[in-house]
C-alpha cells in the first residue's frame, strides 16, 4: 500500500456538554483563591479554565519552612501510621476517580478514557506505598573478619523537593509524593504550570485522608528557575526528584551539587521499538499503536523510532496506518475520542517542523500530516515510512502523534541502530522467539523493555532510565529507597568465655 490515507478530516469532536459542566464543577470545588495569578488553559479550545496563584520565591521558602517544621513530627510517626494514612488517601482518590479524570482531561487534553487509565495507574502508587511503608528494610550482618556486627537501618532522607511535568498530572505527582510520605519525608512539590489543578486536588484529598495540612506544600509558579535556584540552595532541603526534560534535569543536577542533595532524575527518552519478522503481526501493530499513541504521543516512553524487519514491514506499516487513520480527533471530553489536543501550540508547531524535515530528507508519508482547522492545539495522527536515519525526529523526542518507521535487515543492525542515542529510558521488542526476545532485551541500553506489549509501566516496576534518561528509580521497593538513607551501626563484639 503506497497511498496516503487521510486522518478523519473536519473539525475535532467537541466536548460533551454534560462532561464539560461536570469538569467546571470540579474546578469550582477547588476553591482557588481569587485575585492575581496565572491562567490554566483548556488545550482543546485555548480557553482559560482557572487562575492559580503565581507564588514567588518568598512564598516557596515559607513553604519549605512549614513543611520542614511539620516534617519532624511526621518522620517520628510509626510506619504503620503512615501506611494507614496513605491507604485512606488511596481510598479517597478512588472515591473521587471520576472528578480527577475529568480534571486531567480538561487541563491536559487527553481523552477521558485515557485519563481514567491514568487515575488507575496514578492511584496505584499510593496503594503500593501504603503497603511498602511498613517494610523499611534494614538488616544485621557480621563483619567478615569477626569482632563486630553491623546493623543497617533506613532513615528518612529529609525534606524532598519534587518537580513534575504536565503529561501525567496525577501519576507523576503520586509516584513521588507517596514514597516520600511513606519514608517520612516532608514535601514541597512544584507541578508543571500548564497542569497544576490535578496536583492541587490530589493533595487536598491527601489532607482529608490525614496527611497534616501543610506537610505537602504545593508551589504553583510561572518562575520555575527562580524557584529551584532558591529552594535547592536552602539547607533544610535534602532531596530533589525531578521528571521532565534532560535539559532542565542537567540544570537541577548542577544546582543540587551545591548542597550535595540526593537526586532522582526521570528525564527524556527516545524509545526504539523493534518488530522482527517472527512477530505476531496483530500483537506488534496493537503494541506499536499503544506505545506510540498513549497520551497523543506525549509520553517519555513513547515509541519514537519504530524499526521493522524487511519481511514483515509492508504488512506492519499497512496495519499501523489503518489504526492511525481511524483515530478520532477531538476534545478529551468528547464522545469516543482517541486523540486529544497536544499540550499547546508550540507542540503543534514542533510536529510540523519535524514532519517537514523528515519529508525533505526522503521519508514517505502514509497517513495524516495535518493539523485540523479551528482553535485548539490539534495535530493529526501521522505515519511515516522509510524514515532516513539522519532525520531530526530520529534523534530527538517527537512527543506527538507521528509514527516514524525505519526498516532493517538483521538483528545486529537493529540493535546497533536502537542503541545509537544518548538516551536510554524504554525499548520494545516484538518477536515470538523467546531466545530472541531475551537476547535483544538484554542488548538494549534502556532502563525498561516492553516485550510483546506497548504499555510496560506499573506501580510494582522500578521505572527509570540509563544513559542521559536519568538517575534512580520510581515505583516498586526501589522507589522507596530513593527517599531513604542507609545508615549502619558497628557493634563491637568482644570474645568472652
Ligand atoms: P520540562 O523539563 O520543560 O518541565 C518539567 C517541569 O520542570 C515543569 O514543572 C517545569 O515547570 C519545570 N521546570 C522547568 N525549568 C525549571 C527549572 N529551571 N527549575 C525547576 N523546574 C523547572 O519538561 P516538560 O515539557 O514539562 O515534559 C516533557 C519532558 O518530560 C519530556 O522530555 C519527557 O520525556 C519528560 N518526561 C520524563 C518522564 C520520565 O519518567 N522519565 C516522564 C514524563 C515526562
Amino acid at each position: 500500500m503506497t497511498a496516503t490515507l487521510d486522518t478523519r478530516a473536519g473539525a475535532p469532536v467537541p466536548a460533551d456538554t454534560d462532561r464539560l459542566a461536570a469538569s467546571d464543577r470540579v474546578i469550582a470545588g477547588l476553591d482557588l483563591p481569587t485575585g492575581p495569578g496565572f491562567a490554566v488553559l483548556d488545550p482543546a479550545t485555548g480557553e482559560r479554565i482557572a487562575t492559580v496563584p503565581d507564588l514567588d520565591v518568598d512564598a516557596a521558602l515559607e513553604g519549605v519552612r512549614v513543611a520542614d517544621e511539620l516534617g519532624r513530627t511526621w518522620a517520628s510517626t510509626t510506619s504503620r501510621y503512615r501506611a494507614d494514612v496513605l491507604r485512606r488517601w488511596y481510598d479517597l482518590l478512588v472515591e473521587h476517580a471520576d472528578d480527577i479524570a475529568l480534571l486531567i482531561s480538561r487541563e491536559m487534553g487527553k481523552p477521558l478514557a485515557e485519563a481514567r487509565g491514568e487515575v488507575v495507574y496514578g492511584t496505584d502508587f499510593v496503594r503500593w506505598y501504603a503497603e511498602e511503608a511498613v517494610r523499611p528494610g534494614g538488616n544485621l550482618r557480621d563483619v567478615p573478619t569477626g569482632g563486630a556486627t553491623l546493623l543497617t537501618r533506613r532513615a528518612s532522607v529529609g525534606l524532598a523537593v519534587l518537580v513534575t511535568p504536565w503529561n501525567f498530572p496525577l501519576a507523576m505527582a503520586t509516584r513521588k509524593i507517596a514514597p516520600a510520605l511513606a519514608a517520612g519525608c516532608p514535601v514541597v512539590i512544584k507541578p508543571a504550570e500548564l497542569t497544576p489543578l490535578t496536583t492541587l486536588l490530589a493533595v487536598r484529598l491527601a489532607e482529608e485522608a490525614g496527611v497534616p495540612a501543610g506537610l505537602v506544600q504545593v508551589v504553583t509558579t510561572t518562575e520555575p528557575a527562580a524557584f529551584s535556584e532558591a529552594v535547592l540552595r536552602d539547607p533544610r532541603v535534602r532531596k530533589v526528584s525531578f521528571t521532565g526534560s534532560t535539559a532542565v534535569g542537567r540544570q537541577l543536577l548542577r544546582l543540587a551539587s551545591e548542597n550535595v542533595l540526593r537526586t532522582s532524575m526521570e528525564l527524556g527518552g527516545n524509545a526504539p521499538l523493534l518488530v522482527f519478522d517472527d512477530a505476531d503481526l496483530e500483537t506488534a501493530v496493537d503494541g506499536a499503536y499503544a506505545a506510540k499513541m498513549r497520551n497523543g504521543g506525549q509520553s517519555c516512553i513513547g515509541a519514537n523510532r519504530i524499526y521493522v524487519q524487511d519481511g514483515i514491514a509492508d504488512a506492519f506499516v499497512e496495519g499501523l496506518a489503518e489504526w492511525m487513520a481511524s483515530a478520532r480527533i477531538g476534545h478529551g471530553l468528547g464522545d469516543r475520542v482517541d486523540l486529544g489536543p497536544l499540550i499547546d501550540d508550540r507542540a503543534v508547531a514542533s510536529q510540523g517542523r519535524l514532519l517537514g524535515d523528515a519529508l525533505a530528507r526522503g521519508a514517505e508519508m502514509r497517513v495524516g500530516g495535518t493539523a485540523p482547522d479551528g482553535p485548539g492545539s490539534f495535530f493529526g495522527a501521522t505515519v511515516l515510512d522509510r524514515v532516513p536515519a539522519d532525520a531530526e525526529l530520529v534523534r530527538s523526542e517527537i512527543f506527538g502523534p507521528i509514527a516514524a518507521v525505519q526498516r532493517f535487515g538483521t538483528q545486529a543492525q537493529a540493535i546497533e541502530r536502537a542503541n545509537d542515542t544518548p538516551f536510554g529510558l524504554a525499548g520494545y521488542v516484538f518477536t515470538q522467539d523467546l531466545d530472541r526476545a531475551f537476547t535483544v532485551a538484554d542488548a538494549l541500553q534502556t532502563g525498561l523493555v516492553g516485550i510483546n506489549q506497548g504499555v510496560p509501566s506499573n506501580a510494582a516496576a522500578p521505572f527509570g532510565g540509563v544513559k542521559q534518561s536519568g538517575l534512580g528509580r520510581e515505583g516498586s521497593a526501589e522507589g522507596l529507597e530513593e527517599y531513604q538513607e542507609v545508615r549502619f551501626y558497628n557493634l563491637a563484639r568482644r570474645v568472652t568465655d
Side-chain angles (χ1 to χ4, degrees), residues 157 238-241 256 260-264 481-486:
V157 75
R238 291 310 317 145
K239 160 94 195 176
V240 56
S241 175
V260 193
L261 300 182
R262 283 279 298 276
T263 58
S264 303
E481 291 169 10
E482 299 282 319
Y483 295 90
Q484 293 173 323
E485 300 283 15
V486 179

Side-chain angles (χ1 to χ4, degrees), residues 164 166 175 190 193 228 242-245 266-267 300 397 463:
T164 52
W166 48 264
R175 198 163 81 166
K190 194 209 81 57
E193 45 275 55
S228 54
F242 171 70
T243 297
S245 60
E266 298 285 352
L267 307 178
C300 52
E397 256 185 319
F463 186 101

Side-chain angles (χ1 to χ4, degrees), residues 135-311:
R135 295 182 189 87
N139 61 37
L140 196 72
R141 43 188 128 169
D142 289 329
V143 165
T145 47
T149 294
L150 299 172
L151 222 139
T152 72
R153 309 197 67 181
R154 292 182 182 278
S156 154
V157 75
L159 199 153
V161 171
L162 314 178
V163 179
T164 52
W166 48 264
N167 57 351
F168 291 91
L170 179 71
M172 296 301 97
T174 51
R175 198 163 81 166
K176 296 182 190 300
I177 298 174
L181 291 178
C185 301
V187 164
V188 173
I189 180 166
K190 194 209 81 57
E193 45 275 55
L194 293 164
T195 57
L197 303 178
T198 305
T199 305
L200 288 167
L201 177 55
V203 171
R204 173 166 307 184
L205 293 173
E207 292 179 354
E208 234 176 85
V211 171
L215 182 72
V216 179
Q217 294 281 326
V218 184
V219 179
T220 51
T221 178
T222 55
E223 300 284 352
F227 165 85
S228 54
E229 292 274 340
V231 166
L232 298 192
R233 288 201 168 100
D234 188 294
R236 291 167 291 201
V237 171
R238 291 310 317 145
K239 160 94 195 176
V240 56
S241 175
F242 171 70
T243 297
S245 60
T246 299
V248 172
R250 272 196 203 96
Q251 289 176 36
L252 296 185
L253 281 170
R254 264 185 231 116
L255 265 176
S257 72
E258 293 184 22
N259 264 344
V260 193
L261 300 182
R262 283 279 298 276
T263 58
S264 303
M265 295 280 144
E266 298 285 352
L267 307 178
N270 184 353
L273 183 146
L274 278 52
V275 180
F276 288 90
D277 284 348
D278 57 18
D280 177 73
L281 181 64
E282 203 181 315
T283 304
V285 170
D286 288 2
Y289 181 86
K292 175 69 241 179
M293 293 297 278
R294 185 168 176 223
N295 227 17
Q298 303 168 109
S299 160
C300 52
I301 59 169
N304 211 61
R305 296 168 292 145
I306 302 176
Y307 295 107
V308 190
Q309 202 161 18
D310 290 328

